[in-house]
Amino acid sequence: MAALLVVRGLAAAVVAAFCFMSPPPVEGLVRHYKFNVVMKKVTRLCSSKSIVTVNNKFPGPTIYAREDDTVLIKVVNHVPYNVSIHWHGIRQLRTGWADGPAYITQCPIQPRQSYVYNFTITGQRGTLFWHAHILWLRATLYGAVVILPKLGVPYPFPTPHKEMVLILGEWWKSDVEAVINEATKSGLAPNVSDAHTINGHPGPVQGCLTRGFSMPVQHGKTYLLRIINAALNEELFFKVAGHKLTVVEVDAAYTKPFNTDTIVIAPGQTTNALLTADHGSGKYAISASTFMDTPIVAVDNVTAIATLHYTGTPSTTPTSFTGLPPQNATPVATKFTNSLRSLNSKQYPAKVPLEVDHSLLFTIGLGINPCKTCSSGNQVVADINNVTFVMPTISLLQAHYFNINGVFTDDFPANPPIRYNYTGKQPSNLHTMSGTRLYRLAYNSTVQLVLQDTAMIAPENHPIHLHGFNFFAVGSGLGNFNHKKDPKKFNLVDPVERNTIAVPSGGWVALRFRADNPGVWFMHCHLEVHTTWGLKMAFLVDNGEGPEESLLPPPNDLPKC
Ligand SMILES: *[C@@H]1O[C@H](CO)[C@@H](O)[C@H](O)[C@H]1NC(C)=O
Ligand SMILES: *[C@@H]1O[C@H](CO)[C@@H](O)[C@H](O)[C@H]1NC(C)=O
Ligand SMILES: *[C@@H]1O[C@H](CO)[C@@H](O)[C@H](O)[C@H]1NC(C)=O
Ligand SMILES: *[C@@H]1O[C@H](CO)[C@@H](O)[C@H](O)[C@H]1NC(C)=O
Ligand SMILES: *[C@@H]1O[C@H](CO)[C@@H](O)[C@H](O)[C@H]1NC(C)=O
Ligand SMILES: *[C@@H]1O[C@H](CO)[C@@H](O)[C@H](O)[C@H]1NC(C)=O
Ligand SMILES: *[C@@H]1O[C@H](CO)[C@@H](O)[C@H](O)[C@H]1NC(C)=O
């Protein structure tokens, strides 16, 4: 069957290429990948450790596919950890079994076991990424997903000379699982990372023999940078000294192009930007530095540096650096976010739901619960609508599909259980409730979801990621969402479409999406520390009518718990 599809896809592709016409509707290719998950010894910051990798590569291999292709990735676990991999931002229409979050859509792939992720890419083009979705393994288990347009379909921007993936990460000298385990035992925050990385490299470090990643460019050519934030816990500013960037796409959805010298990118977000090498020669710093506007939160403040190297420039030439925004530069972040708009062209319309079936208000924030096993006696927790999510021991999607009772309830609160001034004086009681509660949606119903930050402990910027859907960010603001005044200012014409949105510190964002994908879909803060603390929930979308509107049956090799 797979071979047949390849042949059919190829034949159609050849016909399209020879006729120079717009290609006829074709089924895409089937692309096969094999991911061997293996340990590898790596040295960074003058210090070595063993890390979990795919195929001995760090960052891991890039998945290339075109829109409409089917991707089959066989993941074989050769490490002593349970593993699962999430294809971050892929819509996974009816293929929730291939989404990847452990205990949400599958049981983990246990040591010596394997699983084939099988999904088709529909209606998306641009950059996404894959990463582990269990424990804190995604610290080193990540790589890019590049989705090219259908054969014969051009980009809606000038064709670049070359493309380059720039994947940003975080590096701990210690074993990352030891870092989070230590924090869980104490009930307090984990140690921050020791460095940021660009394509796996922190850049020059005093006393260490490291140079950092170097990107060669030619004078006068334009490059497409596919920028990915794969860091665990930090939002980042991205800059290239002496060069402007033109943003053309975020989260695999085209945007109206705009120029900027600084990109703001939260964990879980991707940004495609054009860069023209308009200098004669030289070396220019590419930098990734932390954005954090909550003073009390500890961060890694070490800037990662890579180099844009014009061909012909001697390597002894000193690198030109750029000024970095201050760590707490909220206005820089807000200006960037407010510049993002969907392309909304005839070919790529922004299909914003205009009617709303479910109007939801979810508060997001932190709390403190007593903890008998914690050395501090308490435990920092996080919640949505005061519910700290408890992970089940079998996957929610299996529990749903096979009607297994007692795993979850579908009574997730549509509104905060207690109304108060979310961004003002907080209740003195910082406790939260625990539960594995889902919010149920009928197939094709529409949702307006306002995410409201709270000031519990402290207001903080949270990048919230929704699996299985893209949403439109129709509004945002500071303070408390006002359900009378604020909707009047919503942009229902060309709001940015994405899968991860940074909710401003002490503010809110309003999202809209159509529940056109049956299954169980995780939603969580993409700061891994907050996910661990419970800032997560899931939507359950029922089947519609007939097989085309229903979740596919689980594959035979779906891992068992
Ligand atoms: C992948 O899933 C499709 C259904 O979406 C199925 O027809 C096909 O057989 C699967 N391929 C493999 C190799 O499991
Ligand atoms: C966390 O940081 C503390 C203080 O620097 C250090 O003592 C501890 O060993 C670190 N933990 C891990 C797991 O690296
Ligand atoms: C970075 O953080 C460390 C530890 O908190 C601090 O000592 C140092 O001054 C900070 N550096 C900068 C440039 O802010
Ligand atoms: C909420 O608290 C903030 C900060 O104290 C204050 O500015 C605002 O007026 C309060 N809002 C309401 C509705 O009370
Ligand atoms: C959250 O739930 C806990 C436990 O039921 C309760 O004590 C607390 O008052 C609630 N807080 C809010 C803001 O809803
Ligand atoms: C979903 O709802 C929209 C708007 O009511 C409608 O146009 C569309 O046909 C529906 N799709 C399905 C598959 O039911
Ligand atoms: C791996 O996953 C299985 C299935 O959920 C579970 O029983 C086992 O305890 C897990 N192993 C570890 C080391 O957590």
Side-chain angles (χ1 to χ4, degrees):
M1 180 64 187
L4 186 70
L5 274 181
V6 172
V7 171
R8 237 193 281 161
L10 266 179
V14 169
V15 169
F18 275 78
C19 297
F20 294 104
M21 297 185 322
S22 59
V26 291
E27 285 176 77
L29 297 181
V30 177
R31 306 206 181 227
H32 295 261
Y33 284 88
K34 183 151 183 211
F35 276 21
N36 282 310
V37 181
V38 291
M39 301 303 296
K40 178 189 168 72
K41 202 177 155 200
V42 168
T43 305
R44 294 289 184 273
L45 309 173
C46 300
S47 145
S48 299
K49 66 169 180 173
S50 214
I51 63 167
V52 184
T53 67
V54 164
N55 301 349
N56 266 306
K57 292 202 167 90
F58 173 69
T62 298
I63 299 273
Y64 291 93
R66 284 189 190 277
E67 185 184 345
D68 283 349
D69 286 353
T70 293
V71 187
L72 293 171
I73 304 138
K74 181 171 186 175
V75 177
V76 190
N77 184 357
H78 301 281
V79 300
Y81 301 102
N82 282 342
V83 166
S84 81
I85 295 194
H86 172 48
W87 317 93
H88 183 113
I90 297 278
R91 293 269 340 254
Q92 300 289 4
L93 290 166
R94 301 169 54 221
T95 52
W97 307 109
D99 191 38
Y103 302 108
I104 306 296
T105 58
Q106 66 165 98
C107 293
I109 309 167
Q110 296 183 37
R112 293 177 302 281
Q113 295 186 353
S114 69
Y115 178 46
V116 178
Y117 289 90
N118 174 1
F119 56 85
T120 300
I121 299 172
T122 308
Q124 299 183 282
R125 56 313 272 179
T127 306
L128 294 172
F129 71 122
W130 56 264
H131 62 76
H133 215 305
I134 185 167
L135 309 168
W136 275 29
L137 296 186
R138 78 175 178 88
T140 58
L141 215 48
Y142 61 76
V145 175
V146 170
I147 310 169
L148 300 168
K150 292 180 219 190
L151 208 65
V153 177
Y155 291 131
F157 46 81
T159 305
H161 172 62
K162 278 198 174 131
E163 306 190 355
M164 179 64 75
V165 167
L166 293 172
I167 190 160
L168 317 178
E170 267 177 281
W171 185 264
W172 279 259
K173 286 192 203 171
S174 298
D175 177 75
V176 179
E177 293 310 318
V179 170
I180 184 56
N181 289 342
E182 179 185 64
T184 304
K185 281 204 186 94
S186 69
L188 304 174
N191 289 357
V192 300
S193 54
D194 298 300
H196 294 106
T197 55
I198 301 176
N199 287 354
H201 296 277
V205 178
Q206 227 178 3
C208 304
L209 276 173
T210 49
R211 280 173 299 158
F213 181 78
S214 180
M215 171 178 167
V217 292
Q218 280 175 36
H219 165 71
K221 305 274 194 219
T222 297
Y223 296 82
L224 180 66
L225 308 184
R226 297 177 176 273
I227 307 154
I228 300 164
N229 187 345
L232 270 86
N233 295 325
E234 282 167 16
E235 301 192 13
L236 297 166
F237 291 120
F238 176 92
K239 293 187 80 161
V240 182
H243 292 76
K244 280 240 178 294
L245 300 162
T246 306
V247 174
V248 292
E249 179 248 297
V250 295
D251 296 5
Y254 294 130
T255 63
K256 291 198 170 72
F258 70 96
N259 295 334
T260 181
D261 60 6
T262 308
I263 282 171
V264 184
I265 187 163
Q269 294 184 328
T270 53
T271 304
N272 278 8
L274 296 169
L275 173 146
T276 299
D278 50 10
H279 292 266
S281 65
K283 287 163 64 187
Y284 297 85
I286 303 172
S287 58
S289 63
T290 301
F291 166 49
M292 167 53 78
D293 56 1
T294 303
I296 67 162
V297 177
V299 289
D300 169 1
N301 59 15
V302 185
T303 302
I305 301 285
T307 314
L308 192 75
H309 193 143
Y310 280 72
T311 47
T313 305
S315 56
T316 49
T317 303
T319 304
S320 305
F321 284 86
T322 179
L324 299 173
Q327 190 175 291
N328 63 356
T330 315
V332 176
T334 309
K335 185 176 172 223
F336 178 83
T337 309
N338 289 347
S339 305
L340 290 167
R341 293 276 183 287
S342 278
L343 181 58
N344 192 31
S345 64
K346 201 171 165 199
Q347 198 175 359
Y348 304 104
K351 293 182 184 160
V352 189
L354 300 178
E355 309 288 327
V356 170
D357 299 320
H358 297 261
S359 187
L360 311 177
L361 177 68
F362 286 4
T363 58
I364 53 178
L366 306 184
I368 295 178
N369 284 342
C371 170
K372 285 204 194 82
T373 58
C374 298
S375 55
S376 69
N378 288 302
Q379 182 179 27
V380 183
V381 292
D383 65 274
I384 304 180
N385 275 350
N386 205 33
V387 181
T388 294
F389 192 84
V390 176
M391 289 301 263
T393 50
I394 71 157
S395 90
L396 297 173
L397 191 60
Q398 284 166 288
H400 163 57
Y401 187 85
F402 295 108
N403 287 310
I404 303 167
N405 287 327
V407 179
F408 65 84
T409 54
D410 63 2
D411 59 350
F412 192 88
N415 287 286
I418 297 177
R419 288 190 180 195
Y420 67 98
N421 186 339
Y422 307 117
T423 52
K425 190 176 180 314
Q426 298 295 297
S428 53
N429 179 353
L430 297 180
H431 295 172
T432 66
M433 309 175 253
S434 300
T436 309
R437 297 164 70 176
L438 274 53
Y439 192 90
R440 193 168 205 127
L441 296 165
Y443 180 81
N444 206 32
S445 58
T446 53
V447 180
Q448 175 175 299
L449 170 60
V450 175
L451 296 168
Q452 172 72 60
D453 186 33
T454 74
M456 286 276 194
I457 303 186
E460 188 173 342
N461 185 309
H462 295 278
I464 303 294
H465 172 49
L466 176 61
H467 291 227
F469 300 94
N470 280 352
F471 48 71
F472 293 95
V474 297
S476 68
L478 289 181
N480 303 326
F481 175 70
N482 182 314
H483 71 276
K484 284 206 178 76
K485 285 188 199 147
D486 289 321
K488 291 184 183 139
K489 289 176 276 176
F490 283 175
N491 173 4
L492 302 177
V493 178
D494 62 353
V496 69
E497 178 179 351
R498 56 190 328 168
N499 64 58
T500 305
I501 188 92
V503 180
S505 180
W508 55 271
V509 296
L511 315 176
R512 285 196 184 180
F513 65 96
R514 180 177 294 280
D516 58 359
N517 193 9
V520 173
W521 304 107
F522 207 20
M523 188 178 80
H524 59 98
C525 183
H526 220 273
L527 303 180
E528 204 57 36
V529 55
H530 293 169
T531 312
T532 305
W533 286 347
L535 212 169
K536 49 195 173 188
M537 58 80 69
F539 288 99
L540 192 171
V541 180
D542 281 313
N543 286 337
E545 283 167 29
E548 289 303 310
E549 297 180 5
S550 298
L551 174 67
L552 287 166
N556 291 331
D557 61 343
L558 187 71
K560 293 185 176 59
C561 282

